[in-house]
Amino acid sequence: MREKLVAGNWKMHGGLAQNEALLEQVIAGMENVRGMGCAVCVPFPYLFQAQSMLHGTAISWGAQNLSQHDKGAFTGEVSASMLLDFGCRYAIVGHSERRAIFGDDDATVALKFEAAQRAGLIPILCVGETLAERESGVTEAVVARQIDAVTGKLGVAALSKAVLAYEPVWAIGTGKTASPDQAQAVHAFIRGKIAGQSKDVAENLVIQYGGSVKGANAAELFAMPDIDGGLIGGAALDAQEFLAICRAAQR
Ligand code: PEP
């Protein structure tokens, strides 16, 4: 039985004092929430703070990116083992902002996914189409290509220790959420596609939805059979919104 996972992606937001207040409220609010997984993916400099505050709670933490390299002369990069030093459980790979702004192509994303798993981190692999791709009817082809880049290199079994996040690019940070039916259709396509290679991997894979999820729309999205929680951007910066989303993911 898959457990829903709600993960906050703080993006490049935060500050020590602000994070402390946010995490204190999330920790307190999560005390009565059961039957779901909760995580926050914070900017690298705040991993120590996240570790210090979240250690011993039910809330996991992780990073929003990592290097595909294990170590060496890669100025400005952060390796998977460095993330492990700070107790990370998750690392987001292939977020659409990284793909669009920082040139993370499918091959690089697959290398980052592999580097995360090699160190024992759980990659959260983001996939999703742009508005132009949706309008030209290639949503499934785009999502399939992004998944194949990883499974073609590492095999479908690699997804048994990973999380997938379907994030239509047109819904990220725009306030335009995919309708539950629109999102479910793509989630079902993804699970079906993976089931074609391994029923077991497909059945157990957590597939999150991401794109303007809020307290007000989370329950209807999470009620869909193939939506296993969410990757949350803007609403993860507001403790009460984030907690409402977590409560909507309870069994
Ligand atoms: C995201 O950054 O992954 C995301 C889904 O952002 P938002 O919730 O703000 O749309």
Side-chain angles (χ1 to χ4, degrees), residues 44-65:
F44 294 134
Y46 302 130
L47 284 171
F48 179 70
Q49 184 185 31
Q51 180 181 34
S52 308
M53 291 188 69
L54 298 176
H55 180 79
T57 73
I59 305 161
S60 304
W61 59 97
Q64 301 166 17
N65 182 33

Side-chain angles (χ1 to χ4, degrees), residues 7 9-11 92 95-97 126 167-168 171-176 209-214 231-236:
N9 170 18
W10 288 5
K11 311 196 191 205
I92 298 174
H95 190 279
S96 63
E97 287 152 15
C126 299
E167 299 206 302
I172 297 181
T174 58
K176 281 187 207 155
Y209 167 78
S212 299
V213 179
K214 303 184 264 306
L231 185 57
I232 317 299

Side-chain angles (χ1 to χ4, degrees), residues 87-123:
C88 287
R89 180 172 170 80
Y90 298 104
I92 298 174
V93 298
H95 190 279
S96 63
E97 287 152 15
R98 299 237 31 114
R99 291 180 190 263
I101 306 169
F102 300 101
D104 286 11
D105 59 13
D106 287 339
T108 306
V109 172
L111 287 169
K112 291 185 174 190
F113 182 107
E114 189 178 19
Q117 283 193 335
R118 204 163 44 235
L121 294 166
I122 300 173

Side-chain angles (χ1 to χ4, degrees), residues 30-97:
M30 279 299 293
E31 270 169 19
N32 317 313
V33 181
R34 298 275 177 281
M36 54 80 66
C38 175
V40 289
C41 294
V42 307
F44 294 134
Y46 302 130
L47 284 171
F48 179 70
Q49 184 185 31
Q51 180 181 34
S52 308
M53 291 188 69
L54 298 176
H55 180 79
T57 73
I59 305 161
S60 304
W61 59 97
Q64 301 166 17
N65 182 33
L66 80 166
S67 174
Q68 66 266 43
H69 304 288
D70 288 338
K71 63 176 173 180
F74 300 106
T75 302
E77 290 289 279
V78 174
S79 73
S81 68
M82 293 172 185
L83 300 181
L84 271 191
D85 277 347
F86 289 92
C88 287
R89 180 172 170 80
Y90 298 104
I92 298 174
V93 298
H95 190 279
S96 63
E97 287 152 15

Side-chain angles (χ1 to χ4, degrees), residues 94-159:
H95 190 279
S96 63
E97 287 152 15
R98 299 237 31 114
R99 291 180 190 263
I101 306 169
F102 300 101
D104 286 11
D105 59 13
D106 287 339
T108 306
V109 172
L111 287 169
K112 291 185 174 190
F113 182 107
E114 189 178 19
Q117 283 193 335
R118 204 163 44 235
L121 294 166
I122 300 173
I124 300 178
L125 171 65
C126 299
V127 298
E129 81 288 0
T130 62
L131 185 59
E133 288 165 340
R134 172 161 284 260
E135 284 174 352
S136 51
V138 294
T139 295
E140 292 184 355
V142 169
V143 166
R145 189 203 75 225
Q146 292 170 331
I147 295 171
D148 287 344
V150 170
T151 54
K153 181 174 167 60
L154 305 174
V156 72
L159 294 179

